[in-house]
Amino acid sequence: MDKHAQTGWLSKLVTRRSVLATSTVGLAVPAAMTLGTGASGVHTAQAQTGVVKKITMYVEDLPGGLLGYGLEPGKASIPGPLLEIYEGDTLEITLVNRTTQRVSIHPHGVDYSVESDGSPLNASFNGPGETRVYTWRSREMTSAGVGRLFTPGSAGYWHYHDHANGTDHGTGGLAKGLYGGLIVRRRGDALPVKTFVAVLNDTMINHKKAPNTPMFECNLGERVEWLAIGHANSLHTFHLHAHRWADNRTGYLEGPADPSAIIDIKDLNPGTSFGFQVIAGQGVGPGAWMYHCHVQSHSDTGMAGIFLVRNADGSMPPGAQEAIDRFHGHVHAAGPAVDVPPPASTEGHSHN
Amino acid sequence: MDKHAQTGWLSKLVTRRSVLATSTVGLAVPAAMTLGTGASGVHTAQAQTGVVKKITMYVEDLPGGLLGYGLEPGKASIPGPLLEIYEGDTLEITLVNRTTQRVSIHPHGVDYSVESDGSPLNASFNGPGETRVYTWRSREMTSAGVGRLFTPGSAGYWHYHDHANGTDHGTGGLAKGLYGGLIVRRRGDALPVKTFVAVLNDTMINHKKAPNTPMFECNLGERVEWLAIGHANSLHTFHLHAHRWADNRTGYLEGPADPSAIIDIKDLNPGTSFGFQVIAGQGVGPGAWMYHCHVQSHSDTGMAGIFLVRNADGSMPPGAQEAIDRFHGHVHAAGPAVDVPPPASTEGHSHN
Amino acid sequence: MDKHAQTGWLSKLVTRRSVLATSTVGLAVPAAMTLGTGASGVHTAQAQTGVVKKITMYVEDLPGGLLGYGLEPGKASIPGPLLEIYEGDTLEITLVNRTTQRVSIHPHGVDYSVESDGSPLNASFNGPGETRVYTWRSREMTSAGVGRLFTPGSAGYWHYHDHANGTDHGTGGLAKGLYGGLIVRRRGDALPVKTFVAVLNDTMINHKKAPNTPMFECNLGERVEWLAIGHANSLHTFHLHAHRWADNRTGYLEGPADPSAIIDIKDLNPGTSFGFQVIAGQGVGPGAWMYHCHVQSHSDTGMAGIFLVRNADGSMPPGAQEAIDRFHGHVHAAGPAVDVPPPASTEGHSHN
């Protein structure tokens, strides 16, 4: 398992047995959800309504002048922990700032009052060493009071980030690693086996460049979920080889008349996010599939990684190990277009 | 009321009593619309079909070498007046060029023949001092003659701009301020109390940088509408704090099965536009909410403003005035991340 | 007919009599489709299910160090041939590399195993002079096994490109011209009379700058299709004057309740693509309509072209020839904003 990959972290956090953030941090509140299993054997989101989940998050210094969010002291990561709730839930975050810098946490997609805005504009931040509570609420769609219109609920593939470090817009915090994923599920949504979070920030993915970008791993036929987030200043387009999804809320067509375009690439510009689920290797088989930014100068300089779809039994498919080894010798700059051997050291990257 | 804000201008132009451009310029043609009030008390768009609205617009010099469109002589503004029609209406614009430069007006979303294209390609422009009539038509959706498909109607959040000044693509006109909003409503659409127009052009919003960007104001619970327009050469992503909308034609879900993604940020690149309505402060309360471009180098250098949601009775919510004052001392560049006092002079910006 | 235009090439390839790639290359396999004609007289896509189409494509050197794909030796073009299949079909491409460089072909939107990935990561490319078979499969939507959700089918406006020349991401191949359009149709989709392919690559359209960009031609009232593709490193927004479409899979509204936004411009960033159909001149009449990138510095420096809608009988509408002539003297840079006469030589461009 690649130590750089979010996969390991996420596969522990997000499995059929522990889907939501609350489950993983041992809160005193009752477990928020039960997992329904339909006739098809697929797990779907079922949850008690309006649960208040209380978690503590820590902002900590990381090597190289970086910063990270973590759910326990000493566990900060980049990106920070994936947070998941159901529409109707409230997330009460006690943010402990263990650094000497001003930081905050600002979410997309959920409801919060000005006190929890996470912006210096509203004096909503943690000074050095300070602890502050941020409350995020969510809701289901409601009638808009006009015809058959509905005001949108909170369900979506969202994210959170610092909004106070370096500048009043958190530019320093983003550059140092203060960002993470946030998913709000609607009851009845399909639940994935794993969720992969890919943050295209500046010219890095999850603060890494190829070949040190995360290798996201799963088995053939597993329902896996991607959450893609853009940050910083540059244009990005997120492309996944050999898989595609509907350009709508879930990535699935909501019935045969759903007019959504089908895509395998989507713009991922600063502050935006989207997500989707795919059945790993469906129609294409297992293998080392590439995900990358399709801006050529970005993929050439390291905005690419591997989505490893193993065989259904978890074994390595033919050619995949060779592809992974090749990736470590990947020609990322406009050099000679020939295969070069992988470096003698594959430091930090071990393959099962 | 901020003299730089469109709010004041728009709240006069676009209220329940005077929704459409025609209403505000006292035309001889009969009032184009009546306002229906449903059981819910919400106003929806009802209109006489196929009205021809005749207006005169003026292109005028503004201080600093800028140019603006206006509905009366001496009233040019940046952005120009918000124009609104219903699907089926025709807008006949007599454009009076009171400058010594070549200018035109080119719309998005509506129908026009080559004579009204507004492009030098079709010799459709006003020479210095010239007057020219541009006719924009609109239509409802019609059967496409294939299955249950329909050819789209004109309803949308559109815009207009110069296409002849400086270059054959109007690059000079855009740089000088020749742009504005255009909304084509479908009968039955919900009508807002106010419409805010935010044009992200180069590194400015409505030709201003923070803290001089417009402060858009309304009261808690009001149905307000945003029309966001992108121009010039740069990547932009428009983000509104604490509010969200459906990524479709109206921003509302068109029933519970509408598959549209829910968003609180959207790409806003040159020539594109979108709009949506929100209930101000719904689920989050009143306050000084930020809207900004989420490209960090853009927000840091002034592409940010305040969406002030007052209490329902119009009074100032706690903390809002402090936030506004703070905004005037907002750290926009990557300087010391501390709150600095507002400048002694809040020139041009008075708060109620 | 402009020799630079794809129109001529496409109008031969894509007509009511020869809609799919297979039809144009005289394969031994049975004709894949029949054309249904509904009561409305409109042709819709009807096709035998699961046809295997075998074609040979050639990569060849072109003048100026460029490269192209072609369906016959000596016929390489930029963009390469438009490929079209129906959902369920398989396209088996024997790619003959007639150059001394490493090249490949990588598709978007369809299914392929790692051997046909077209990426050096999976050792899927043609060395100098090599021939290699790439197999692309497609499928219809299928139940996702969750509620009423469907896993998307392959239908879409896609594209293919080199993924091995210059760098492991095909940056050299894209810069030299190795790209083309791919359309996967769903049975029942409306069939166009013509398809226009516009590739915004770097600061060129189909490797040309104005006034040498393609002039796409048709007659008033014809159902024509656009396939727009983005490549390289820059932000683009594709705008078509006087026509608009729904921002969904087909460009049509799929019934009156389709919530899709209506647009006349759309972001077209590296690796992305979209398509739509319009009735040429519907509601606006014939004429020389402009299509262009709306990034001002791009349109000003040549990312613009003409969509010529002739009269229904094929004759030239009033003013159109003048507009075309004017285009050849088009002011593309920020120079004097006056009409200049067309160059004495309209080299390579003859008008009917």
Side-chain angles (χ1 to χ4, degrees):
Chain A
M1 183 59 226
D2 182 354
K3 75 172 183 186
H4 302 294
Q6 281 284 309
T7 317
W9 189 93
L10 288 170
S11 64
K12 268 171 284 172
L13 181 63
V14 187
T15 69
R16 287 182 178 173
R17 288 179 307 280
S18 61
V19 174
L20 299 191
T22 47
S23 313
T24 67
V25 292
L27 301 177
V29 296
M33 88 260 94
T34 59
L35 291 173
T37 306
S40 62
V42 174
H43 292 266
T44 57
Q46 309 294 335
Q48 193 178 327
T49 302
V51 172
V52 178
K53 302 161 195 289
K54 300 185 183 189
I55 63 174
T56 301
M57 288 180 74
Y58 302 83
V59 177
E60 300 188 311
D61 290 296
L62 291 172
L66 301 180
L67 299 174
Y69 295 106
L71 289 170
E72 296 175 59
K75 299 286 190 184
S77 62
I78 300 176
L82 174 65
L83 302 178
E84 299 184 61
I85 58 173
Y86 284 97
E87 280 186 333
D89 291 350
T90 293
L91 201 50
E92 187 183 299
I93 301 174
T94 300
L95 187 71
V96 179
N97 181 6
R98 292 161 58 97
T99 78
T100 58
Q101 305 178 48
R102 186 178 78 172
V103 300
S104 77
I105 188 163
H106 166 77
H108 283 242
V110 290
D111 293 339
Y112 48 85
S113 58
V114 286
E115 293 79 12
S116 293
D117 187 28
S119 76
L121 175 73
N122 282 310
S124 172
F125 57 81
N126 296 52
E130 283 185 359
T131 293
R132 184 185 179 94
V133 176
Y134 297 82
T135 302
W136 303 346
R137 295 178 303 277
S138 65
R139 56 182 141 131
E140 299 181 344
M141 70 174 86
T142 52
S143 168
V146 182
R148 57 198 293 274
L149 301 182
F150 281 78
T151 301
S154 306
Y157 289 98
W158 306 104
H159 60 106
Y160 62 86
H161 62 87
D162 171 75
H163 206 304
N165 188 266
T167 76
D168 283 359
H169 293 278
T171 302
L174 289 170
K176 293 168 188 162
L178 289 178
Y179 51 77
L182 168 65
I183 299 177
V184 182
R185 298 194 190 279
R186 186 181 294 175
R187 280 163 188 79
D189 282 354
L191 290 180
V193 173
K194 291 181 182 177
T195 301
F196 306 127
V197 178
V199 184
L200 277 61
N201 183 9
D202 194 7
T203 58
M204 297 177 291
I205 300 177
N206 295 4
H207 254 70
K208 301 286 182 185
K209 291 208 175 207
N212 299 315
T213 43
M215 183 165 69
F216 296 115
E217 301 186 39
C218 65
N219 294 343
L220 183 68
E222 287 185 324
R223 187 184 303 274
V224 297
E225 183 173 67
W226 290 79
L227 168 53
I229 301 166
H231 271 308
N233 298 305
S234 301
L235 171 75
H236 296 301
T237 53
F238 177 87
H239 175 44
L240 177 61
H241 278 219
H243 296 77
R244 59 190 175 275
W245 62 93
D247 190 12
N248 60 15
R249 184 181 70 86
T250 62
Y252 294 108
L253 294 173
E254 307 253 341
D258 185 333
S260 303
I262 309 306
I263 55 176
D264 66 2
I265 183 170
K266 187 173 165 78
D267 289 3
L268 186 60
N269 292 320
T272 69
S273 60
F274 62 88
F276 58 91
Q277 296 178 5
V278 294
I279 305 301
Q282 187 178 32
V284 300
W289 297 110
M290 207 182 299
Y291 68 90
H292 61 89
C293 180
H294 215 297
V295 173
Q296 297 299 129
S297 61
H298 292 177
S299 53
D300 284 346
T301 55
M303 295 191 83
I306 290 178
F307 171 38
L308 177 60
V309 179
R310 294 169 173 271
N311 294 320
D313 65 2
S315 62
M316 206 67 160
Q321 187 58 58
E322 291 79 355
I324 294 166
D325 292 344
R326 206 177 283 124
F327 185 67
H328 286 265
H330 198 63
V331 178
H332 295 290
V338 295
D339 288 344
V340 294
S345 162
T346 56
E347 178 252 327
H349 193 110
S350 65
H351 317 299
N352 307 7
Chain B
M1 181 59 221
D2 181 356
K3 77 170 185 189
H4 301 295
Q6 281 286 308
T7 316
W9 190 92
L10 288 170
S11 63
K12 269 171 283 171
L13 181 61
V14 186
T15 69
R16 286 182 178 174
R17 289 179 309 280
S18 61
V19 174
L20 299 191
T22 47
S23 312
T24 68
V25 293
L27 301 177
V29 296
M33 89 256 94
T34 60
L35 291 173
T37 306
S40 62
V42 175
H43 291 266
T44 57
Q46 310 292 336
Q48 193 178 327
T49 302
V51 171
V52 178
K53 303 161 195 289
K54 300 186 184 190
I55 63 176
T56 302
M57 288 180 75
Y58 302 84
V59 178
E60 299 188 310
D61 291 296
L62 291 173
L66 301 181
L67 298 175
Y69 294 106
L71 289 171
E72 296 174 59
K75 300 285 190 184
S77 61
I78 300 177
L82 174 64
L83 302 178
E84 298 183 63
I85 59 172
Y86 285 97
E87 280 187 332
D89 291 351
T90 293
L91 201 49
E92 187 184 299
I93 300 172
T94 299
L95 187 71
V96 180
N97 181 6
R98 292 161 58 99
T99 78
T100 58
Q101 306 178 46
R102 186 179 78 172
V103 300
S104 77
I105 189 164
H106 167 76
H108 283 241
V110 291
D111 294 339
Y112 47 86
S113 58
V114 287
E115 293 78 12
S116 293
D117 186 28
S119 76
L121 176 73
N122 282 311
S124 173
F125 58 81
N126 297 50
E130 283 184 0
T131 292
R132 184 185 179 94
V133 175
Y134 297 83
T135 303
W136 304 347
R137 295 179 302 277
S138 65
R139 56 182 141 130
E140 299 181 346
M141 70 174 88
T142 51
S143 167
V146 182
R148 56 199 294 274
L149 301 182
F150 280 78
T151 301
S154 306
Y157 289 98
W158 306 104
H159 60 107
Y160 61 85
H161 61 88
D162 170 75
H163 207 305
N165 188 268
T167 76
D168 283 358
H169 293 278
T171 302
L174 289 169
K176 293 168 189 162
L178 289 178
Y179 52 77
L182 168 64
I183 299 177
V184 182
R185 300 195 188 277
R186 186 181 295 174
R187 278 161 189 80
D189 282 353
L191 290 179
V193 173
K194 291 182 181 177
T195 300
F196 306 127
V197 179
V199 184
L200 277 62
N201 182 10
D202 195 4
T203 59
M204 298 179 290
I205 299 176
N206 294 2
H207 254 68
K208 300 286 181 185
K209 292 208 175 208
N212 299 316
T213 44
M215 183 166 67
F216 297 115
E217 300 186 40
C218 66
N219 293 344
L220 183 69
E222 286 185 326
R223 188 184 302 276
V224 297
E225 183 173 67
W226 291 78
L227 167 53
I229 301 166
H231 271 309
N233 298 305
S234 301
L235 172 75
H236 296 301
T237 53
F238 177 87
H239 175 45
L240 177 61
H241 278 218
H243 297 76
R244 59 189 176 277
W245 62 93
D247 190 13
N248 60 15
R249 184 181 69 85
T250 62
Y252 294 108
L253 294 173
E254 306 255 339
D258 185 332
S260 303
I262 309 306
I263 56 177
D264 66 2
I265 183 169
K266 188 173 164 78
D267 289 3
L268 186 59
N269 292 319
T272 69
S273 59
F274 62 87
F276 58 90
Q277 296 178 6
V278 293
I279 306 301
Q282 187 179 32
V284 300
W289 297 110
M290 207 183 299
Y291 67 92
H292 61 90
C293 180
H294 214 297
V295 173
Q296 296 298 127
S297 61
H298 292 177
S299 54
D300 283 346
T301 55
M303 296 192 82
I306 290 178
F307 171 39
L308 177 60
V309 180
R310 294 167 173 272
N311 293 320
D313 65 2
S315 62
M316 205 67 157
Q321 186 58 60
E322 291 79 354
I324 294 167
D325 292 343
R326 206 176 284 124
F327 186 68
H328 286 265
H330 198 64
V331 178
H332 295 290
V338 295
D339 288 343
V340 294
S345 163
T346 55
E347 176 250 328
H349 194 109
S350 64
H351 318 299
N352 308 6
Chain C
M1 182 60 221
D2 183 354
K3 77 172 181 186
H4 302 295
Q6 281 286 308
T7 317
W9 190 91
L10 288 170
S11 62
K12 268 172 282 172
L13 181 61
V14 187
T15 69
R16 286 183 178 174
R17 288 180 308 282
S18 61
V19 173
L20 299 191
T22 48
S23 313
T24 66
V25 292
L27 301 178
V29 296
M33 89 259 92
T34 60
L35 292 173
T37 306
S40 63
V42 174
H43 292 267
T44 57
Q46 310 292 334
Q48 192 177 328
T49 302
V51 171
V52 177
K53 301 162 195 289
K54 301 186 183 190
I55 64 174
T56 301
M57 288 180 74
Y58 303 84
V59 178
E60 300 188 311
D61 290 296
L62 292 173
L66 301 180
L67 300 174
Y69 295 105
L71 288 170
E72 295 175 59
K75 300 286 190 185
S77 61
I78 300 177
L82 174 64
L83 303 178
E84 298 183 62
I85 59 173
Y86 285 98
E87 281 186 332
D89 291 351
T90 292
L91 201 49
E92 187 183 299
I93 300 174
T94 299
L95 187 70
V96 179
N97 181 6
R98 292 161 58 100
T99 78
T100 59
Q101 305 178 47
R102 186 179 78 172
V103 300
S104 77
I105 189 164
H106 166 78
H108 282 241
V110 290
D111 293 339
Y112 48 86
S113 58
V114 286
E115 293 78 12
S116 293
D117 186 28
S119 76
L121 175 74
N122 282 310
S124 173
F125 56 81
N126 297 50
E130 284 185 359
T131 292
R132 183 184 179 96
V133 175
Y134 297 82
T135 303
W136 302 347
R137 295 179 302 278
S138 65
R139 55 182 142 129
E140 299 180 345
M141 71 174 86
T142 52
S143 167
V146 182
R148 56 198 294 274
L149 302 182
F150 281 78
T151 300
S154 306
Y157 289 98
W158 306 105
H159 60 106
Y160 61 85
H161 61 87
D162 171 74
H163 206 304
N165 188 267
T167 76
D168 283 0
H169 293 279
T171 303
L174 290 170
K176 293 169 189 163
L178 289 178
Y179 52 76
L182 168 64
I183 299 177
V184 182
R185 300 195 188 278
R186 186 181 294 175
R187 279 162 190 80
D189 282 354
L191 290 179
V193 173
K194 290 181 182 177
T195 301
F196 306 126
V197 179
V199 184
L200 277 60
N201 183 9
D202 194 7
T203 58
M204 298 179 290
I205 299 176
N206 295 4
H207 255 69
K208 301 285 181 187
K209 292 207 176 210
N212 298 316
T213 44
M215 182 165 68
F216 297 115
E217 301 186 38
C218 66
N219 293 343
L220 183 69
E222 287 185 323
R223 187 184 303 275
V224 298
E225 183 173 65
W226 291 78
L227 168 53
I229 300 166
H231 271 309
N233 297 305
S234 301
L235 172 76
H236 296 301
T237 53
F238 176 88
H239 175 44
L240 177 61
H241 278 219
H243 296 76
R244 60 190 176 276
W245 62 93
D247 189 13
N248 59 15
R249 184 181 68 86
T250 62
Y252 293 108
L253 293 174
E254 306 254 341
D258 185 332
S260 303
I262 308 307
I263 55 177
D264 66 2
I265 182 169
K266 189 174 164 77
D267 290 2
L268 187 59
N269 293 319
T272 69
S273 59
F274 63 87
F276 58 90
Q277 296 178 7
V278 294
I279 305 301
Q282 186 179 30
V284 299
W289 297 109
M290 208 183 298
Y291 68 90
H292 61 89
C293 181
H294 215 296
V295 173
Q296 297 298 128
S297 61
H298 293 177
S299 54
D300 284 345
T301 54
M303 296 191 83
I306 290 178
F307 171 38
L308 177 60
V309 180
R310 294 168 173 272
N311 293 322
D313 65 1
S315 63
M316 205 67 159
Q321 187 58 58
E322 291 79 353
I324 294 166
D325 292 344
R326 207 176 285 125
F327 185 68
H328 286 266
H330 198 62
V331 178
H332 295 290
V338 296
D339 289 344
V340 295
S345 162
T346 56
E347 175 252 327
H349 194 111
S350 66
H351 317 297
N352 307 7

